[in-house]
Amino acid sequence: MRITILIICLLVSSLVRADIFPPVSDLAKAASYTEQKNYEKAIEHYKVALKSLDGSTLYSAIEYETRYSYGLMLNEYTKDNHPEYIKVARKQFEWVLNYLEKSSELLSTRAMALSTLANTYQQEAGYTENEDEFYQLLEKAYSIYKESAAGLEKNKDWQNLAYTYYNLGETAEWYGDLPEAIKWLEKAVELDKIHGFEVDLKEDSAYLARLKTKHEEMLNKSMQPTANAAAD
């Protein structure tokens, strides 16, 4: 996931408005610590900033960007064995989606917000030890990813669509449906080739190759008892 830089533009514009003075210092520090991957310090400053922004009509656009950036940062941090922040990240994306519903001029970004929300469910599935909960979370993630993909395709947001196809494929693999996973990775690779996403193409192609090898090995293994029986 990539941390949005639009917040910087919002902060700069706010400095020239005498009637608007959001928590610029904490937002800047949060962004700086995020870049340094010092996530605990970034969290401290995001919390202070959001406490100042929470519920403010005047600062609502800045709160939207702040919560989205905070959620993206937390999504990255949770991958490093910090599941305690998954639901905090989810809360940010749910707030963002609610805000987008009320702001028609920003509805084009809703599809990407859905993708990041779906990622919180996928990550939570990766941490749970309860098998039923594992599959329920994956089903939730898969459903939201698909909704996101439809919106991204409509918006012609090809790179984020490729990312979402990758996540759909990964979710399907975790669920145990390798043909479905392969289908989504093929779509991601196709987009990478069409639009020249060379770095993504390398990663997506490697993942697709691993999925196909895994699927072939499973098919061969499942056919082995039949082959042995025929030989007897």
Side-chain angles (χ1 to χ4, degrees):
M1 312 300 277
R2 291 180 171 83
I3 303 299
T4 180
I5 63 171
L6 184 55
I7 189 172
I8 297 173
C9 299
L10 288 166
L11 292 176
V12 171
S13 65
S14 71
L15 289 175
V16 299
R17 289 278 304 278
D19 59 330
I20 298 180
F21 193 75
V24 175
S25 176
D26 283 296
L27 290 173
K29 288 177 181 177
S32 176
Y33 282 123
T34 297
E35 288 296 317
Q36 298 169 37
K37 298 189 183 300
N38 188 341
Y39 295 125
E40 287 293 339
K41 292 296 291 184
I43 288 168
E44 288 180 18
H45 290 284
Y46 270 122
K47 284 182 175 179
V48 173
L50 286 171
K51 186 175 181 180
S52 299
L53 292 168
D54 188 31
S56 169
T57 303
L58 188 63
Y59 300 158
S60 61
I62 297 176
E63 183 176 1
Y64 152 71
E65 282 296 330
T66 301
R67 286 188 181 276
Y68 192 58
S69 296
Y70 184 34
L72 291 176
M73 183 272 287
L74 289 173
N75 260 4
E76 286 301 306
Y77 194 31
T78 54
K79 294 174 184 177
D80 190 27
N81 200 29
H82 287 280
E84 67 271 21
Y85 289 112
I86 290 174
K87 291 184 179 178
V88 181
R90 186 176 301 154
K91 180 180 177 182
Q92 310 314 312
F93 297 131
E94 288 172 344
W95 190 100
V96 165
L97 285 164
N98 184 60
Y99 177 78
L100 291 173
E101 290 290 346
K102 301 173 184 177
S103 306
S104 57
E105 71 276 9
L106 295 172
L107 281 178
S108 62
T109 65
R110 181 176 182 274
M112 193 56 214
L114 282 169
S115 186
T116 55
L117 175 64
N119 192 248
T120 68
Y121 288 100
Q122 183 185 354
Q123 288 202 59
E124 187 175 0
Y127 283 112
T128 186
E129 296 180 359
N130 182 293
E131 185 175 5
D132 289 339
E133 185 179 0
F134 173 77
Y135 287 111
Q136 289 169 5
L137 287 166
L138 287 180
E139 288 168 4
K140 182 74 172 178
Y142 188 83
S143 175
I144 300 174
Y145 276 136
K146 284 192 72 174
E147 183 180 356
S148 168
L152 291 167
E153 184 175 10
K154 182 178 179 180
N155 297 339
K156 299 183 179 180
D157 187 350
W158 304 124
Q159 190 156 35
N160 282 324
L161 180 58
Y163 293 155
T164 301
Y165 283 160
Y166 181 101
N167 287 331
L168 276 162
E170 188 174 59
T171 302
E173 182 196 8
W174 291 10
Y175 202 84
D177 191 340
L178 289 177
E180 184 76 0
I182 289 168
K183 179 188 78 173
W184 291 113
L185 262 296
E186 286 176 339
K187 291 167 92 55
V189 167
E190 181 182 9
L191 279 180
D192 294 337
K193 289 178 178 178
I194 292 172
H195 298 285
F197 305 141
E198 296 299 332
V199 174
D200 296 335
L201 176 61
K202 184 177 180 179
E203 180 180 356
D204 294 348
S205 297
Y207 185 29
L208 176 58
R210 292 196 302 272
L211 288 172
K212 287 183 174 180
T213 298
K214 186 176 179 180
H215 188 225
E216 184 177 350
E217 290 173 349
M218 289 183 65
L219 287 175
N220 290 337
K221 187 176 180 179
S222 67
M223 293 172 64
Q224 195 61 46
T226 303
N228 293 338
D232 292 341

